[in-house]
Amino acid sequence: MKNFTLKQSWKKVYAKDADEQISTLRTYHMNDEEETEVEKEDIVEGHRYGNTLVPMSADDKENMKYRAEKCFKILGFTKGDKIKRHHYLGDGSSYVVPEKDDESAAIALSALINALYETNMVAIVRKVYSAASGPKLGCLIPHIKTEYECLIYVELPFREDIRQFTFGSLPITEDNKANVKNAPSADQLKAVDDLITDMDLSQTGDDEEDIVEALKPKFVFNPHFQRLYQCLQHRALNPDDQLPELSPLIANYLKPPQEIITKCEPGVEKIQKLFKLEEVKRKEDRTGEKLFKDGDEAEGGPVKKQKLDDDLQGGIWEKDIFWMDEAEGGPVKKQKLDDDLQGGMEDITKAEVTEVSCHGIQNN
């Protein structure tokens, strides 16, 4: 029983004429100045080993494959609770049933299923689908219903496939002295536990007799498939119209059940009261312009910028001043104050201040 997927029958067509034939042409070129074209038969895969590229042809890959005989063999048994849900692999599961009209096989398999069910055990098996496929590890879980009984095969990871990550524990015990100030209180822990219990989708209902599983996959439509079907139907009936808006019925699939939302509201409000959030203001970068501005405001308000000629008797009536150099015998242009400063004084005041000393201000 695999996960259901849509049959991909999409075809590429020319948007302006759907009847026009489209063909794909793919060429391979070398990464050189001439972009030399090469044939596909002359290309092999390459894998890096340090700084070396190791070519690997299709024949090499075929010879490296592990060869195994087709089999479905029980390796041993273990308790069912030792098989964790997050260890399940694959895109689905398989049902193991006896061969039709084989009474002896049905009796033998039924005995195994009932023995596993009564002892809460599962069987660990080795599965090789064919000689061309690699071996896989899995478990057989007993499944008994009124109408039938079977074993459910689920693929499991090998030891090398499991990645164990170690994270620092929360400071919730007295033995852990690290970061004690962030340790949650007993009320905070209880509030989170209560919210998790209220959000449980496996048991919903007002009465104990009416408790059912919410969002059970058997009774819930896939919103991705439903939206695709909606667009296909609309485009088939209205080829020239825009795609429709999302149907309210499909949008409702994306929302949690109203019963769960109502049940969780008191827990969410309690968490908001116990876990208070404080806004942390970001420290602003101090520039020379900002530094001088703050200094002026501290002295009693903004200070008007003083012109260069305010303290000069008579002022300066021209931007550029010329004077006669008696030694050279001709006029010489007076140099501006910021001619030797890259960017001028305005950029210096806007630069970030990194150090202030008695000799001046050093900036970047």
Side-chain angles (χ1 to χ4, degrees):
M1 185 175 64
K2 289 183 172 292
N3 293 338
F4 177 76
T5 56
L6 292 174
K7 294 182 179 180
Q8 297 298 334
S9 59
W10 304 108
K11 305 294 183 182
K12 293 182 179 180
V13 296
Y14 185 46
K16 296 182 179 179
D17 186 3
D19 297 330
E20 186 71 22
Q21 295 294 329
I22 295 179
S23 60
T24 302
L25 177 62
R26 180 176 297 176
T27 59
Y28 300 88
H29 299 264
M30 297 179 62
N31 188 17
D32 54 11
E33 295 181 357
E34 293 79 11
E35 295 185 355
T36 307
E37 184 176 354
V38 295
E39 297 295 333
K40 183 179 180 180
E41 293 75 12
D42 298 332
I43 300 176
V44 296
E45 293 185 6
H47 301 269
R48 286 198 174 276
Y49 184 75
N51 295 328
T52 306
L53 262 177
V54 181
M56 187 70 64
S57 64
D59 295 336
D60 295 334
K61 295 177 66 175
E62 185 67 23
N63 294 330
M64 291 177 58
K65 286 185 177 180
Y66 179 80
R67 303 296 178 183
E69 296 181 359
K70 183 176 181 178
C71 75
F72 193 67
K73 179 181 178 181
I74 294 179
L75 302 178
F77 302 91
T78 185
K79 287 290 185 181
D81 55 3
K82 291 186 178 180
I83 306 299
K84 305 301 181 183
R85 181 64 181 83
H86 61 275
H87 288 162
Y88 291 177
L89 294 182
D91 57 353
S93 57
S94 303
Y95 280 20
V96 180
V97 295
E99 189 174 354
K100 189 176 181 180
D101 299 332
D102 191 342
E103 185 177 354
S104 59
I107 295 174
L109 185 61
S110 177
L112 177 61
I113 293 172
N114 284 272
L116 293 175
Y117 185 83
E118 292 174 1
T119 57
N120 192 24
M121 302 282 283
V122 297
I124 306 299
V125 298
R126 180 179 187 266
K127 176 186 176 184
V128 181
Y129 183 76
S130 66
S133 60
K136 295 183 178 180
L137 189 68
C139 67
L140 295 177
I141 304 172
H143 185 67
I144 299 178
K145 291 292 183 179
T146 306
E147 298 83 4
Y148 66 94
E149 57 184 15
C150 64
L151 292 172
I152 300 177
Y153 169 81
V154 180
E155 185 181 347
L156 296 177
F158 289 98
R159 178 64 184 86
E160 293 78 7
D161 298 330
I162 300 176
R163 300 291 184 269
Q164 297 289 350
F165 298 98
T166 303
F167 300 96
S169 59
L170 292 174
I172 58 177
T173 60
E174 297 180 356
D175 299 336
N176 191 348
K177 300 299 182 183
N179 206 11
V180 178
K181 65 178 182 179
N182 294 327
S185 63
D187 293 338
Q188 291 175 334
L189 292 175
K190 187 177 183 306
V192 175
D193 288 340
D194 294 342
L195 180 62
I196 294 175
T197 303
D198 294 338
M199 295 173 62
D200 186 9
L201 298 177
S202 62
Q203 296 181 352
T204 58
D206 299 332
D207 301 331
E208 293 184 359
E209 298 180 356
D210 298 335
I211 291 179
V212 294
E213 179 182 352
L215 301 179
K216 196 170 185 177
K218 181 186 284 187
F219 306 110
V220 177
F221 292 104
N222 189 320
H224 169 69
F225 295 159
Q226 295 300 314
R227 172 60 176 169
L228 180 59
Y229 296 148
Q230 178 194 4
C231 294
L232 288 176
Q233 180 186 20
H234 182 84
R235 180 53 56 88
L237 299 176
N238 308 280
D240 299 328
D241 294 349
Q242 295 290 335
L243 291 178
E245 297 292 335
L246 183 65
S247 170
L249 181 62
I250 302 176
N252 191 43
Y253 296 154
L254 304 175
K255 299 178 182 178
Q258 185 60 39
E259 178 185 353
I260 300 295
I261 296 177
T262 305
K263 189 177 180 181
C264 293
E265 285 180 353
V268 173
E269 294 177 357
K270 187 176 182 180
I271 286 181
Q272 289 178 343
K273 295 178 181 179
L274 294 176
F275 295 87
K276 297 182 179 180
L277 300 179
E278 298 179 358
E279 182 180 359
V280 179
K281 294 184 179 180
R282 182 180 177 183
K283 187 177 180 181
E284 298 181 358
D285 296 334
R286 303 284 290 179
T287 62
E289 184 179 21
K290 181 69 175 176
L291 184 64
F292 290 132
K293 182 178 179 180
D294 293 345
D296 294 339
E297 292 178 355
E299 294 177 1
V303 180
K304 180 182 178 182
K305 282 189 175 181
Q306 192 177 32
K307 295 181 180 179
L308 294 176
D309 58 346
D310 282 352
D311 292 337
L312 300 179
Q313 186 176 2
I316 300 178
W317 60 278
E318 279 187 302
K319 182 178 180 182
D320 297 331
I321 299 178
F322 294 83
W323 73 91
M324 299 298 295
D325 191 340
E326 298 177 356
E328 299 294 336
V332 179
K333 182 179 178 181
K334 186 176 180 180
Q335 191 177 27
K336 296 180 183 179
L337 293 176
D338 58 349
D339 280 353
D340 293 336
L341 301 177
Q342 186 177 359
M345 293 295 293
E346 182 179 358
D347 291 345
I348 292 179
T349 59
K350 292 183 179 180
E352 184 178 354
V353 177
T354 59
E355 182 180 350
V356 179
S357 65
C358 59
H359 299 290
I361 300 175
Q362 180 180 349
N363 51 55
N364 294 332

